[in-house]
């Protein structure tokens, strides 16, 4: 019988004991109970407080930016600050934050994009305020929101497998926390807003191409149902920024841009690592207690096992996050420990990529010569990062607790495999359990690899095709399935698949199609689509940025404008030559 590579199977499929999860069940809104570790937070205002604050008008949206207030007090009062002032680069000790003022962009500013969902549903602002000059100044770093005391975060990290020492927010400024009408607390951060003590040799800026990608992808991932940071706005300028995009000596002048982005927390594995590596154990314990109190409040601070329970939660949620990445063909590109959130959300969008032709060795980052962060290696990299998280926790764990945590870590592979199996079963519309499901999924993926079939559209077209069309292998105008049809073993797989579907009781073909359409997107942010929008944006034409943002807000729904733009068609030939890198 045909042999399937074991490493390949580990990366993508395994048995499941979890309840089937479909994209419609995933967190697709910003409710506080969307993430389990936020659900019971005891720092949220009461419903009565929220109601009294927001009964000023029927829409519950602010029309005056002067009423929009943030606060940095919780972090400032919880942790010691850098005793040295100023934005100059330096080694920082015994603190988590440095006070640091954004450097305004030079030249005329243009608001290139705004997320209506973030503006209205998270920030409680009426979209009309985004047309004002004041809004442009606030979201570009030229003016501070009321209550803001900007900070830059000190953290470290393992980069490409090696300890890199002090890293930190080299071009990002924490503006403050905002408590919205739903009782959620969000942290606002500017990216590309100038130098900080952690800029190392950088200039503190971000360019248009990387900022367009971050804005579009963070919002696209949210609407795909993948836990992620959010992007509120994208501002571009005429400020010249020099970059060597592919580190080959081909230096060019680009233009600066700033993204206003949000997360429930920006703390990452590297936030703990720098404290453990520096022997700052008291501060390490203080940060862990803060995270548990604010984001894992079902864990009692008086529980002697609290750090083990915290670790177990992060292991579980990290396995789930990476499985979700894989289910939509997303490769992060730079899975360093400083880019892995303690809340297990996707952060720091750089040289990412959505896989086109199915290839477990797909590497989106042209700077990753060894393929360390290939899409098929992401689960293993997640394990590496969790090992480093455990190493950072060791100073606050007893010997027995360290052994317990090691056992928890050993369970990561099974957790990941169960999650990925669950997700891929849903992608094929499979209900219940069958001992051959694992093989059925792996068989399909191996055929896709052999025929270089498109990952996104193969699953989408399997969602759209009827059982009768499958039976007759009638794939007219279904280019991805037509590619798959060329495999010599396709008919064997198809017979297995149809037999499996036929055994599903009380399930109609229409139900199966709808279920699959709900988890298999028709549109993802392919690199060629982003590149097309970037080229126009660099000429001050933001129409495609807006178009993509609109379309990717409903990725599971067939849209006429998207079809006309070719976003579900075979990628253009020039897309094969595209490269992205860490230079941004």
């Amino acid at each position: 019988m045909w042999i399937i590579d074991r490493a390949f199977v580990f990366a993508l499929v395994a048995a499941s004991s979890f309840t089937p999860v479909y994209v419609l069940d995933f967190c697709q809104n910003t409710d506080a109970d969307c993430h389990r570790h936020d659900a019971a937070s005891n720092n949220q205002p009461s419903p009565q407080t929220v109601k009294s604050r927001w009964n000023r008008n029927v829409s519950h949206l602010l029309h005056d930016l002067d009423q929009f207030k943030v606060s940095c007090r919780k972090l400032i009062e919880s942790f010691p600050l850098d005793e040295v002032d100023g934005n100059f680069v330096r080694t920082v000790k015994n603190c988590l934050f440095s006070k640091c003022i954004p450097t305004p962009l030079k030249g005329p500013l243009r608001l290139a994009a705004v997320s209506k969902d973030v503006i209205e549903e998270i920030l409680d602002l009426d979209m009309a305020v985004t047309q004002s000059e004041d809004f442009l100044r606030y979201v570009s770093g030229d003016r501070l929101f009321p209550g803001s005391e900007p900070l830059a975060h000190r953290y470290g990290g393992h980069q490409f497998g090696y300890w890199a020492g002090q890293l930190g927010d080299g071009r990002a400024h924490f503006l403050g926390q905002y408590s919205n009408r739903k009782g959620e607390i969000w942290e606002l951060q500017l990216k590309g807003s100038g130098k900080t003590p952690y800029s190392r040799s950088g200039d503190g800026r971000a360019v248009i191409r990387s900022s367009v990608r971050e804005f579009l992808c963070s919002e696209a991932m949210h609407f795909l149902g993948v836990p992620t940071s959010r992007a509120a706005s994208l501002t571009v300028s005429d400020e010249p920024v020099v970059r060597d995009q592919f580190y080959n000596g081909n230096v060019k002048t680009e233009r600066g841009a700033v993204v206003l982005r949000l997360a429930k927390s920006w703390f990452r594995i590297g936030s703990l690592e720098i404290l453990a590596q520096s022997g700052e154990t008291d501060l390490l314990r203080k940060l862990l207690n803060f995270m548990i109190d604010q984001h894992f409040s079902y864990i009692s601070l008086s529980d002697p096992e609290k750090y083990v329970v915290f670790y177990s939660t992060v292991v579980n949620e990290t396995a789930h996050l990476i499985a979700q990445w894989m289910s939509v063909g997303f490769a992060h590109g730079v899975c360093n420990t400083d880019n892995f959130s303690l809340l297990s959300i996707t952060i720091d969008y750089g040289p990412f990529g959505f896989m086109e032709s199915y290839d477990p060795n797909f590497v989106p980052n042209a700077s990753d010569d060894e393929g360390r962060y290939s899409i098929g290696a992401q689960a293993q990299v997640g394990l590496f990062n969790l090992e480093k998280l455990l190493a950072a926790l060791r100073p606050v764990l007893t010997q027995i607790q360290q052994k317990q945590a090691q056992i928890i870590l050993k369970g990561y592979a099974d957790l990941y495999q169960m999650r990925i199996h669950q997700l891929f079963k849903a992608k094929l519309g499979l209900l219940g359990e069958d001992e051959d499901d694992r093989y059925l999924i792996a068989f399909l993926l191996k055929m896709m690899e052999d025929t270089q079939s498109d990952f996104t559209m193969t699953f989408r077209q399997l969602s759209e095709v009827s059982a009768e069309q499958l039976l007759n292998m009638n794939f007219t105008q279904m280019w991805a399935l037509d590619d798959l049809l060329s495999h010599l073993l396709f008919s064997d797989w198809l017979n297995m698949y149809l037999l499996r579907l036929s055994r599903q009781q009380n399930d109609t073909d229409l139900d199966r199609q709808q279920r699959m359409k709900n988890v298999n997107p028709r549109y993802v942010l392919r690199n060629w689509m982003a590149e097309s929008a970037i080229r126009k944006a660099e000429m001050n034409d933001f129409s495609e940025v807006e178009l993509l943002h609109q379309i990717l807000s409903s990725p599971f729904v067939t849209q006429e404008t998207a079809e006309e733009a070719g976003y579900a068609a075979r990628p253009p030939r020039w897309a094969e030559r595209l490269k992205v890198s860490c230079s941004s």
Side-chain angles (χ1 to χ4, degrees):
M1 177 55 84
W2 186 40
I3 297 174
I4 301 174
D5 182 73
R6 291 185 63 187
F8 160 76
V9 174
F10 170 78
L12 287 173
V13 291
S16 169
S17 64
F18 286 80
T19 303
V21 174
Y22 307 115
V23 163
L24 292 181
D25 295 323
F26 291 164
C27 176
Q28 292 217 32
N29 56 47
T30 54
D31 291 345
D33 60 357
C34 227
H35 295 286
R36 289 192 298 278
H37 42 62
D38 283 343
S41 180
N42 59 12
N43 67 348
Q44 309 294 356
S46 69
Q48 291 76 20
T49 303
V50 174
K51 183 176 180 181
S52 65
R53 178 182 172 192
W54 295 103
N55 61 10
R56 289 194 295 263
N57 57 61
V58 175
S59 71
H60 299 314
L61 299 179
L62 296 175
H63 299 266
D64 184 352
L65 280 170
D66 291 336
Q67 297 178 31
F68 183 85
K69 293 179 172 60
V70 300
S71 175
C72 300
R73 299 315 302 171
K74 186 172 289 182
L75 291 177
I76 289 175
E77 292 170 2
S78 298
F79 304 108
L81 295 180
D82 184 5
E83 295 179 353
V84 180
D85 286 332
N87 289 8
F88 62 92
V89 176
R90 58 186 180 274
T91 299
V92 179
K93 296 283 188 181
N94 300 309
C95 70
L96 288 179
F97 296 97
S98 301
K99 287 189 175 181
C100 191
I101 303 296
T103 303
L105 288 167
K106 299 175 184 176
L109 303 179
R110 298 173 181 84
L111 188 63
V114 176
S115 170
K116 184 175 186 290
D117 189 65
V118 173
I119 294 297
E120 293 186 347
E121 298 302 319
I122 296 179
L123 298 181
D124 304 318
L125 292 170
D126 190 287
M127 277 293 288
V129 304
T130 65
Q131 304 302 312
S132 68
E133 183 68 22
D134 283 346
F135 181 82
L136 186 59
R137 295 182 67 185
Y138 281 128
V139 300
S140 66
D142 186 53
R143 178 186 293 180
L144 296 179
F145 288 114
S148 179
E149 302 171 75
L151 304 170
H153 175 36
R154 169 192 174 221
Y155 55 82
H158 280 80
Q159 298 192 325
F160 289 87
Y162 299 96
W163 176 245
Q166 176 180 294
L167 299 169
D169 289 334
R171 53 179 172 170
H173 292 79
F174 170 81
L175 298 180
Q177 294 179 321
Y178 176 69
S179 301
N180 68 16
R181 68 183 187 272
K182 302 172 185 176
E184 301 167 342
I185 297 177
W186 288 83
E187 297 185 356
L188 278 64
Q189 188 184 81
L190 292 177
K191 181 175 180 179
S193 45
K195 284 188 175 182
T196 76
Y198 311 102
S199 295
R200 292 174 286 169
S201 60
D203 57 15
R205 292 302 189 202
V207 295
I208 289 176
R209 60 181 160 82
S210 62
S211 301
V212 166
R213 286 169 56 82
E214 169 133 14
F215 175 85
L216 288 175
C217 198
S218 54
E219 288 303 282
M221 290 285 273
H222 168 72
F223 288 104
L224 285 169
V226 181
T228 179
S229 59
R230 304 296 301 276
S233 63
L234 166 64
T235 305
V236 303
S237 76
D238 287 342
E239 179 174 331
V241 177
V242 176
R243 289 289 183 269
D244 182 355
Q245 184 176 356
F246 297 110
Y247 307 106
N248 58 6
N250 185 21
V251 177
K252 59 182 276 190
T253 300
E254 302 183 52
R255 290 161 56 202
V258 167
V259 172
L260 173 60
R261 59 186 193 171
L262 301 81
K264 296 286 184 69
S265 173
W266 289 103
F267 287 125
R268 64 252 348 254
I269 292 176
S271 304
L272 298 172
E273 283 187 291
I274 190 72
L275 303 178
Q277 291 276 352
S278 302
E280 298 169 34
T281 306
D282 289 343
L283 194 49
L284 172 67
R285 188 175 287 108
K286 184 173 290 190
L287 175 54
L288 282 166
N289 291 344
F290 179 88
M291 285 298 295
I292 290 171
D293 180 60
Q294 298 296 309
H295 301 286
F296 301 79
S297 57
Y298 59 87
I299 305 174
S300 172
L301 286 175
S302 62
D303 184 352
E305 304 298 323
K306 58 183 176 291
Y307 301 140
V308 177
V309 179
F310 164 80
Y311 183 67
S312 178
T313 304
V314 176
V315 169
N316 182 74
E317 294 299 307
T318 298
H320 194 182
L321 176 67
I322 297 176
Q324 288 178 277
W325 286 357
M326 300 295 286
S327 73
V328 294
F330 175 80
H332 184 282
V334 193
C335 296
N336 299 326
T337 59
D338 54 294
N339 295 332
F340 260 51
S341 161
L342 290 176
L343 294 189
S344 303
I345 64 171
T346 316
I347 60 172
D348 294 348
Y349 290 90
F352 65 83
F354 283 88
M355 176 171 56
E356 293 189 348
S357 297
Y358 178 73
D359 178 8
N361 296 314
F362 168 64
V363 180
N365 181 4
S367 308
D368 185 4
D369 297 329
E370 296 180 359
R372 176 180 175 82
Y373 298 140
S374 68
I375 192 169
Q378 288 183 136
Q380 189 64 35
V381 170
L383 177 63
F384 175 89
N385 290 350
L386 291 169
E387 288 173 345
K388 299 308 174 186
L389 174 58
L390 176 54
L393 294 178
R394 289 190 189 281
V396 298
L397 299 177
T398 66
Q399 288 295 321
I400 293 176
Q401 288 173 336
Q402 289 182 38
K403 291 179 180 178
Q404 291 172 334
Q406 195 66 50
I407 293 171
I408 290 168
L409 182 61
K410 286 182 179 178
Y412 165 81
D414 289 339
L415 277 172
Y416 171 77
Q417 290 189 354
M418 286 188 285
R419 298 289 197 186
I420 204 73
H421 182 68
Q422 165 195 77
L423 292 168
F424 273 80
K425 273 183 60 184
K427 289 176 75 67
L428 284 176
L430 305 181
L431 299 177
E433 296 296 332
D434 189 296
E435 62 181 5
D436 292 329
D437 285 348
R438 175 174 177 163
Y439 182 73
L440 184 70
I441 296 167
F443 194 157
L444 172 61
L445 293 173
K446 187 63 173 71
M447 287 194 304
M448 290 169 61
E449 181 181 4
D450 290 346
T451 56
Q452 297 184 323
S453 295
D454 189 87
F455 179 81
T456 299
M457 289 307 294
T458 296
F459 281 102
R460 179 64 186 197
Q461 289 174 359
L462 281 172
S463 310
E464 295 171 341
V465 72
S466 68
E468 183 178 355
Q469 286 176 292
L470 281 171
L471 188 61
N472 296 325
M473 291 192 279
N474 176 16
F475 303 141
T476 306
Q477 295 184 329
M478 292 188 170
W479 58 272
L481 288 185
D482 199 46
D483 289 347
L484 190 63
L485 180 61
S486 67
H487 200 286
L488 292 175
L489 297 175
F490 177 74
S491 60
D492 293 342
W493 177 85
L494 184 58
N495 289 333
M496 287 178 60
Y497 181 50
L498 289 171
L499 180 61
R500 174 66 171 85
L501 292 178
S502 71
R503 293 200 296 264
Q504 298 187 164
Q505 297 181 355
N506 302 317
D507 188 34
T508 69
D509 196 39
L510 286 177
D511 288 341
R512 187 268 309 172
Q513 288 176 299
Q514 189 56 54
R515 238 181 8 256
M516 291 175 66
K517 287 177 185 176
N518 287 341
V519 297
N520 291 312
R522 189 166 175 87
Y523 315 108
V524 294
L525 184 62
R526 298 171 185 265
N527 274 341
W528 74 266
M529 292 157 59
E531 180 65 20
S532 179
I534 288 165
R535 291 176 183 178
K536 291 178 181 177
E538 289 176 334
M539 302 295 290
N540 293 328
D541 176 358
F542 308 116
S543 60
E544 192 159 14
V545 173
E546 174 56 32
L547 178 63
L548 281 171
H549 178 226
Q550 176 184 338
I551 287 166
L552 295 172
S553 295
S554 300
F556 304 100
V557 179
T558 301
Q559 302 167 58
E560 184 177 348
T561 52
E563 300 302 306
E564 291 173 351
Y567 294 155
R570 192 183 295 278
R573 299 298 292 269
W574 60 267
E576 299 174 6
R577 301 189 298 273
L578 285 178
K579 294 181 181 180
V580 293
S581 76
C582 292
S583 174
S584 57

